[in-house]
Amino acid sequence: MTAETQQLMNMTDQYTPYGNVVYNQTGTTQVTSPDGKTYNVPRFTQTTTLNNQQQQTLDQQQQAATNIASTANNLSNTGLSNLSQAVDTSGAPSLQTNLGDGYSTSLGSGYQTNFGGDVSQAMTNAKNAVMDQYTPTLDRNAEATRAQELASGVRAGSAAYSANEQTIGDNYTRAADQATQTAQSVQNQLFNQQAQQAQFNNSSLLNQAQFGNSALLESANFGNNSRQQYLQQYYQQRDQPLNELSALLSQSQVNNANTGASATPQTTVQPTNYSGLVENNYQAQLAQSQGLTSGLFGLAGAGAMVGGSYLGRK
């Protein structure tokens, strides 16, 4: 009956500002002890009663838990329904991995690696034009010089005649050099004009190609960004119910309202050690039996010794 007594001592009614814990007997149970006797052991029911505020808090928490479970159930149905459907990204914009045939890798046949035509004829024409201006004057000067020679009595082959002819020839040479320089200036001017025109044409082709390539690149980037945004939104809509469900299920469990009741006190009464008592009794009887046997053997030995002494006497 030690265990029953201990249990009765442990079941102490508790009354706190948060609620009450009361033990009420609700029947008995028959228990057979090791010695074969039957006992009627009382059965108790522990009843916890919360005060109004704590009870309302508990009701609200349980209602919230029910709402969360219901919401999680609905989300699980939606999420599992989404997962049962195959991923379909056919509506996403196509991924552009190249810029197509419109991308310019060359500037075409219009790009000039050489320019202009042969300007040597223009140089010749310029030189002839200058000489055409100089020659009449040179001719008149030469005729005047020769007429003066004749009037002065200078004859061909004389030193004065040779000197005058040398002067006339030098005048023609200087005029030709001047005409050549003028023609070369005209030639350089024409060359520079043709170079500038070719450079302007090539720059226009280059700018046009760069503008076209930039437009193609921006269009490809825009299309790929649109595809990325489409896929992101698609998977977000597909995974959103599962994410919300995971967030609900990962929350800590709802805590019950605090009753403020301490744990049932425990006593230090130890139950009867029946098996120990039986063991101790057995050991005591065994020791007593061994002692008695030892005593009998001692007496028998002593009697033998006495008998021997007696028989040895004459």
Side-chain angles (χ1 to χ4, degrees):
M1 296 298 292
T2 303
E4 290 80 0
T5 303
Q6 180 178 353
Q7 182 64 27
L8 290 173
M9 295 177 64
N10 290 339
M11 294 187 300
T12 303
D13 294 344
Q14 301 179 46
Y15 298 90
T16 72
Y18 303 98
N20 306 325
V21 179
V22 178
Y23 298 92
N24 297 310
Q25 183 175 352
T26 57
T28 59
T29 301
Q30 288 188 349
V31 177
T32 302
S33 66
D35 59 2
K37 296 181 179 181
T38 301
Y39 300 91
N40 290 325
V41 179
R43 299 179 59 185
F44 289 86
T45 299
Q46 176 182 308
T47 302
T48 301
T49 304
L50 302 176
N51 62 22
N52 292 334
Q53 184 177 2
Q54 288 293 315
Q55 186 62 50
Q56 292 176 4
T57 301
L58 178 60
D59 293 340
Q60 292 294 329
Q61 289 177 342
Q62 291 178 340
Q63 183 61 46
T66 301
N67 294 339
I68 291 175
S70 176
T71 303
N73 183 53
N74 293 333
L75 289 175
S76 66
N77 292 332
T78 303
L80 293 176
S81 176
N82 290 340
L83 290 179
S84 63
Q85 300 176 4
V87 175
D88 182 12
T89 59
S90 59
S94 300
L95 179 65
Q96 299 187 26
T97 57
N98 57 69
L99 300 181
D101 298 335
Y103 187 78
S104 299
T105 56
S106 65
L107 299 181
S109 59
Y111 186 78
Q112 294 180 286
T113 57
N114 54 59
F115 51 87
D118 186 7
V119 295
S120 59
Q121 185 62 43
M123 178 179 176
T124 300
N125 294 338
K127 182 178 180 179
N128 292 336
V130 174
M131 289 303 297
D132 288 343
Q133 293 178 358
Y134 287 161
T135 297
T137 302
L138 292 173
D139 291 343
R140 286 193 300 270
N141 291 338
E143 292 177 359
T145 299
R146 290 187 179 103
Q148 187 178 3
E149 289 176 350
L150 183 61
S152 300
V154 178
R155 297 292 181 261
S158 65
Y161 181 83
S162 297
N164 289 333
E165 289 297 322
Q166 181 66 39
T167 301
I168 292 173
D170 291 342
N171 290 335
Y172 276 99
T173 299
R174 284 192 294 270
D177 291 341
Q178 184 64 39
T180 299
Q181 292 178 2
T182 302
Q184 289 178 343
S185 177
V186 172
Q187 183 185 32
N188 292 336
Q189 184 176 2
L190 291 175
F191 179 86
N192 292 333
Q193 289 176 353
Q194 291 176 355
Q196 291 175 359
Q197 182 179 0
Q199 183 177 5
F200 175 80
N201 179 68
N202 290 345
S203 297
S204 299
L205 292 175
L206 179 62
N207 292 335
Q208 182 179 359
Q210 290 178 342
F211 177 80
N213 290 345
S214 298
L216 290 174
L217 181 60
E218 290 181 0
S219 177
N221 289 334
F222 178 81
N224 290 341
N225 290 335
S226 298
R227 173 182 175 85
Q228 183 178 2
Q229 292 178 358
Y230 176 92
L231 293 177
Q232 182 178 359
Q233 293 177 356
Y234 174 82
Y235 285 112
Q236 183 177 4
Q237 293 176 357
R238 179 183 176 89
D239 299 339
Q240 186 63 25
L242 295 178
N243 293 334
E244 294 177 355
L245 175 62
S246 177
L248 287 175
L249 296 180
S250 63
Q251 296 297 322
S252 59
Q253 295 181 354
V254 178
N255 295 324
N256 293 328
N258 184 13
T259 61
S262 60
T264 301
Q266 301 294 322
T267 63
T268 57
V269 176
Q270 297 296 328
T272 302
N273 188 358
Y274 180 78
S275 60
L277 294 176
V278 172
E279 178 66 20
N280 292 337
N281 183 48
Y282 170 76
Q283 293 295 337
Q285 292 179 359
L286 179 60
Q288 183 179 2
S289 174
Q290 290 176 347
L292 178 60
T293 303
S294 177
L296 291 175
F297 280 119
L299 291 176
M305 294 177 61
V306 173
S309 298
Y310 178 79
L311 293 173
R313 292 181 181 180
K314 302 278 181 114

